[in-house]
Amino acid sequence: MTAGLLNVATEKRRTLRESQRVSFDVRLNGHRSRHWSTPSGGATLRLKEENRYRTFVDLERIACRLPAAIWHSPGGPREVTIWCSNDYLGMSQNAAVVQAMVDTAIRLGTGSGGTRNIAGTNHPLVELERELADLHAKPAALVFTSGYVANQSSISTIAKLIPNCLILSDELNHNSMIEGVNQSNCVKQVFRHNDLGHLEQLLTSAGQRRPKIVLFESLYSMDGDFAPIGAICDLAKRHNAMTYCDEVHAVGMYGATGAGIAERDGVSGLVDVIEGTLAKAYGGLGGYIAGSARLVDAVRSYASGFIFTTALPPPVCAAALAAIRHLKSSNHERLRHQENAARLKRLICGAALPLRPTDSHILPIMVRDSEQCQKASALLLEDHAIYIQPINYPTVPRGAERLRISRRFTRTCKSIVS
Ligand SMILES: Cc1ncc(COP(=O)(O)O)c(C=O)c1O
């Protein structure tokens, strides 16, 4: 009896100890192994010592007075101006976009009800995919829950489905693309940023017969420079390679209908897969790929990041659809934003600040020191009510820390929803 009670008490203590720990499930090749441990406090301490521990500023954007926001500061609420939003054109607060979201929520509810397979293929999502395919002049498009997931799932799936695929990836590609490459388990070679000579060298040594895919971005989000899309695609075609271009920071922003740099440069037809987001210029949430019907169908059928997660809610799809349609026919926001960026560029250069030269709307001020970068950001917020997040390693290399400005024009409008 006593022994039994002791056993129960020991078991309880053991369960309590284990529940106080953090469990990490590691899935490797479908096998599951369980490790019990807690992350070492030293890991976060190291980030703090290196001045790259991330802190979040508690903001509340003011719908009709973009880019104004309330900062819930330690000393109480204060009005500030956001200088680093990727809601570049303020579409998250566009009256037609908000109305589409509200109307759809009232008609269809707020959630999608499941994965695409089970209950999530709602009509606004189908319409959204048609609109995206049309935007990029491709036969088909597929929507994911984010641009990150779109890259990670599509790249890994496409590469895995091509036997002996060699991946050639620009050295500045976004983490979502790198993760897609890693998950594919394919051989990868990294080419120097936008270096056509280096890419050609790698393509040549791979040989014509080896299946190859070239991964790159059209507009690099941290440096603000463009890729020579046409030249990369020409080169890839000559070497029998497929092309995959991330247009996340360019869709909605460039091209006559907002289809991105490929549209602006008249080379959309040369790119095999265009990947984009609904979360930046379109002001919502979600990501997508557009390409041939066969390729999109293969990704739809095999990508676990597409299959095993709940679909985007109908109101989110309806809002994205309204934003895409609006920016397809309206150039006004794009032009105003470009003018604004050019004006700001002149002011920054006039003030002799170390602006990295860029032709795009992204303006990186190079601080090149993580501590100074954090200090500059804090000073701007506290003394000047300007919010610009410091960009540190690993988002950029050490020594390339910066303040990345993407300031939109001031907008006032009547209340969106009465
Ligand atoms: C180049 C690039 N690709 C993909 C993504 C991921 O897009 P999303 O924010 O929609 O997940 C980002 C995010 O900032 C990005 O900069």
Side-chain angles (χ1 to χ4, degrees):
M1 171 81 170
T2 316
L5 283 176
L6 274 176
N7 279 345
V8 171
T10 313
E11 179 59 21
K12 267 191 178 163
R13 271 201 306 277
R14 197 177 61 79
T15 313
L16 184 66
R17 265 203 317 273
E18 290 201 344
S19 69
Q20 282 168 341
R21 293 177 185 161
V22 178
S23 80
F24 294 97
D25 287 338
V26 179
R27 284 170 192 273
L28 284 172
N29 299 326
H31 299 292
R32 187 177 185 181
S33 64
R34 175 157 272 198
H35 302 292
W36 293 99
S37 66
T38 40
S40 121
T44 37
L45 193 64
R46 195 165 61 244
L47 293 178
K48 287 178 185 168
E49 280 166 5
E50 291 177 8
N51 297 301
R52 54 189 189 90
Y53 178 73
R54 287 165 200 256
T55 53
F56 301 137
V57 174
D58 181 355
L59 293 172
E60 195 178 307
R61 300 197 298 163
I62 307 172
C64 283
R65 291 187 36 227
L66 270 175
I70 301 296
W71 169 34
H72 291 273
S73 78
R78 278 181 61 188
E79 187 167 327
V80 297
T81 311
I82 300 178
W83 284 53
C84 59
S85 173
N86 286 338
D87 180 8
Y88 296 125
L89 304 177
M91 293 307 285
S92 73
Q93 301 180 359
N94 173 284
V97 172
V98 175
Q99 200 66 59
M101 180 176 261
V102 171
D103 288 350
T104 309
I106 290 168
R107 281 193 306 113
L108 279 77
T110 57
S112 65
T115 63
R116 287 291 293 269
N117 208 28
I118 292 174
T121 301
N122 58 77
H123 190 60
L125 184 42
V126 175
E127 279 186 293
L128 176 60
E129 285 177 340
R130 281 195 201 122
E131 191 69 44
L132 287 165
D134 181 72
L135 175 72
H136 292 291
K138 299 286 179 203
L142 192 68
V143 167
F144 297 79
T145 47
S146 74
Y148 193 100
V149 175
N151 268 336
Q152 192 184 26
S153 302
S154 305
I155 292 170
S156 58
T157 304
I158 295 167
K160 264 188 211 157
L161 290 175
I162 302 173
N164 195 29
C165 182
L166 171 67
I167 300 177
L168 300 164
S169 180
D170 187 287
E171 68 177 327
L172 292 192
N173 277 342
H174 188 255
N175 176 271
S176 52
M177 303 173 84
I178 296 169
E179 285 300 320
V181 173
N182 292 343
Q183 280 178 24
S184 75
N185 288 324
C186 290
V187 176
K188 95 167 165 197
Q189 290 177 346
V190 175
F191 59 94
R192 287 189 293 275
H193 178 53
N194 276 346
D195 186 334
L196 292 169
H198 191 206
L199 176 59
E200 178 152 37
Q201 214 178 309
L202 297 177
L203 285 164
T204 307
S205 59
Q208 281 285 338
R209 292 167 65 93
R210 173 132 195 215
K212 300 169 285 295
I213 175 163
V214 180
L215 305 179
F216 61 104
E217 297 178 26
S218 65
L219 167 53
Y220 287 85
S221 65
M222 288 301 143
D223 287 356
D225 60 335
F226 298 112
I229 302 182
I232 290 178
C233 291
D234 283 344
L235 194 56
K237 294 286 168 274
R238 264 191 278 130
H239 291 268
N240 204 19
M242 187 177 159
T243 47
Y244 180 110
C245 179
D246 173 316
E247 288 252 38
V248 158
H249 290 273
V251 287
M253 302 293 291
Y254 296 87
T257 66
I261 305 299
E263 182 188 39
R264 184 199 71 177
D265 294 355
V267 294
S268 299
L270 300 180
V271 187
D272 293 309
V273 187
I274 291 179
E275 186 270 347
T277 187
L278 305 168
K280 303 197 191 295
Y282 293 128
L285 183 70
Y288 63 90
I289 55 162
S292 74
R294 239 167 79 179
L295 179 132
V296 167
D297 193 38
V299 176
R300 188 188 68 84
S301 308
Y302 281 94
S304 46
F306 172 81
I307 297 171
F308 298 108
T309 190
T310 299
L312 280 188
V316 173
C317 300
L321 189 60
I324 295 165
R325 286 183 177 159
H326 178 86
L327 290 175
K328 246 180 171 178
S329 58
S330 169
N331 237 340
H332 168 74
E333 290 82 359
R334 278 188 283 278
L335 291 178
R336 283 286 305 276
H337 196 273
Q338 291 297 335
E339 283 163 16
N340 201 60
R343 207 176 101 220
L344 203 51
K345 226 179 273 184
R346 284 195 299 274
L347 290 172
I348 292 170
C349 291
L353 289 166
L355 179 72
R356 189 186 169 93
T358 151
D359 292 326
S360 74
H361 62 280
I362 294 167
L363 310 178
I365 297 187
M366 305 306 291
V367 181
R368 300 190 185 283
D369 178 275
S370 59
E371 192 181 353
Q372 293 303 321
C373 203
Q374 278 196 345
K375 278 188 180 161
S377 169
L379 185 128
L380 283 167
L381 187 61
E382 278 154 26
D383 293 2
H384 302 278
I386 289 175
Y387 170 64
I388 314 179
Q389 186 68 13
I391 308 278
N392 289 337
Y393 176 83
T395 309
V396 294
R398 285 193 173 87
E401 292 82 3
R402 64 197 66 186
L403 297 174
R404 173 187 179 272
I405 298 176
S406 57
R407 163 104 208 243
R408 67 177 308 281
F409 57 84
T410 306
R411 180 195 180 99
T412 52
C413 57
K414 61 180 176 7
S415 180
I416 294 167
V417 186
S418 52

